[in-house]
Amino acid sequence: MSNASDILRLRVLICFLKSDIDDCTVTGISRVLNEEKYTVSRAMAALEKDDYINRDDVRNPIITEKGYKKAVEYSEKIEVIMNYLLCKDVDIESAKKDAFNIALYCSDKAIDVIRKTEERNRIKYELREQKQFSGSTLCEKLRDGCYRIPFIICREHIENGSNLSMANEGFEHPCNIYVKNGVGEIQIRSKQITMKSKLDGSVMSGRVKSIKYFDSGRYVSAESNGQVFSFPASALNFLNVGFGEGQVLQGSISLKMECACGSVSMPESTALLTLII
């Protein structure tokens, strides 16, 4: 089966979803797609064989339930891929053509990566005029799902030419934002870190055992489940930096963390966690 015939079948199937196409016969679809009747006829015969369309009435062929689900699935994939390509400055005609190829042969995992990237591009575009906004505003615009977001944890003050906090190494990167019905939750997972004591040079191992996040003028204890800490995305404050391809959304929140080294608890320290979208 050739690439061209696969794509034509998909184009024909999607025609049955479009409300502006009232003639889904071979003649009607060939006119809409600007394809020869005999190639459209072969495509429709193949779709009928696969139970995607029903042509018992050749003058009024209809899409089956199986065909409808398949057409909707690929229509959504094509829209996501087209939007992604357009954001990358691909011209619209090339984006249309390439979107069909990618949707038809790309794995679901790869499509999901493209979808998440396209979603971030859409959010950046929609928020381009807002210089500052809350985590609530961000999540209200995001579709439901899990988003893996890079982050960095910095100290309040610069030491030895850097303000990167030791706690930055105490968590797995990136973190996750879980969004459902416009409400988001940040989850970060702690991991064991090894360091040398500033006093005697001895090697110490430990991990973050508790986190408090700053919200509405006070520090609140983050929820913990094993090594995973959670707090509401609404507590973050975002800055909109740059334009176009260089646009970055920076979401920050102050954290107080306590680390345990064996049976010894270290003093609570304050640092700034910043998400980078």
Side-chain angles (χ1 to χ4, degrees):
M1 185 183 299
S2 68
N3 176 283
S5 63
D6 285 349
I7 291 176
L8 180 59
R9 290 182 194 180
L10 180 56
R11 293 175 66 205
V12 169
L13 184 62
I14 289 176
C15 282
F16 284 84
L17 291 183
K18 297 180 178 179
S19 58
D20 58 340
I21 300 178
D22 54 9
D23 182 6
C24 284
T25 62
V26 168
T27 299
I29 291 178
S30 63
R31 182 172 58 250
V32 170
L33 298 183
N34 195 27
E35 296 283 350
E36 295 291 342
K37 288 184 180 180
Y38 71 91
T39 59
V40 172
S41 179
R42 286 205 298 262
M44 291 184 73
L47 290 170
E48 182 179 30
K49 182 179 180 182
D50 290 337
D51 193 31
Y52 289 143
I53 62 174
N54 184 317
R55 292 201 299 171
D56 289 345
D57 180 356
V58 294
R59 293 185 177 181
N60 186 33
I62 58 175
I63 192 168
T64 64
E65 181 179 353
K66 177 182 176 181
Y68 179 80
K69 290 180 179 179
K70 183 65 68 175
V72 168
E73 173 190 346
Y74 278 101
S75 290
E76 292 175 348
K77 288 182 178 180
I78 290 166
E79 181 182 4
V80 166
I81 295 166
M82 271 196 63
N83 289 337
Y84 173 80
L85 295 176
L86 291 172
C87 283
K88 297 300 181 182
D89 294 328
V90 177
D91 66 271
I92 190 166
E93 291 303 319
S94 297
K96 285 181 180 179
K97 181 179 178 181
D98 292 341
F100 275 92
N101 280 282
I102 296 172
L104 198 57
Y105 295 109
C106 204
S107 69
D108 288 341
K109 186 174 182 179
I111 290 291
D112 188 55
V113 171
I114 293 173
R115 180 181 287 108
K116 295 291 175 59
T117 302
E118 188 274 328
E119 177 75 347
R120 295 182 194 188
N121 290 336
R122 178 184 66 82
I123 293 302
K124 288 181 180 181
Y125 182 79
E126 291 186 8
L127 293 171
R128 67 193 183 282
E129 301 296 335
Q130 298 192 39
K131 297 304 179 184
Q132 297 184 43
F133 55 92
S134 69
S136 294
T137 299
L138 175 76
C139 294
E140 285 168 3
K141 292 183 176 295
L142 284 170
R143 297 186 179 96
D144 287 0
C146 175
Y147 299 86
R148 294 178 63 76
I149 308 294
F151 68 94
I152 189 170
I153 300 178
C154 294
R155 291 190 296 262
E156 294 180 301
H157 307 289
I158 294 176
E159 293 182 14
N160 300 320
S162 173
N163 68 337
L164 187 65
S165 171
M166 187 182 300
N168 191 65
E169 299 299 322
F171 296 94
E172 294 181 3
H173 292 251
C175 66
N176 293 324
I177 298 182
Y178 290 92
V179 179
K180 185 174 183 181
N181 298 326
V183 178
E185 180 180 79
I186 310 295
Q187 289 190 0
I188 54 176
R189 180 184 292 273
S190 69
K191 66 177 184 179
Q192 185 165 295
I193 55 175
T194 301
M195 65 200 85
K196 285 186 177 181
S197 170
K198 293 182 180 180
L199 296 176
D200 58 13
S202 61
V203 176
M204 303 165 57
S205 294
R207 67 169 67 239
V208 174
K209 72 171 189 177
S210 69
I211 293 178
K212 295 177 183 177
Y213 62 93
F214 190 77
D215 187 21
S216 302
R218 63 191 181 96
Y219 282 93
V220 182
S221 294
E223 293 186 9
S224 63
N225 182 8
Q227 307 306 326
V228 177
F229 295 92
S230 307
F231 52 89
S234 59
L236 282 99
N237 295 303
F238 277 85
L239 291 177
N240 203 334
V241 182
F243 304 92
E245 284 291 321
Q247 183 186 7
V248 175
L249 307 181
Q250 296 181 348
S252 299
I253 186 170
S254 178
L255 301 179
K256 284 187 175 181
M257 293 167 285
E258 187 177 356
C259 182
C261 294
S263 60
V264 179
S265 293
M266 306 296 289
E268 191 175 60
S269 61
T270 303
L272 189 70
L273 179 146
T274 299
L275 276 61
I276 304 168
I277 300 177

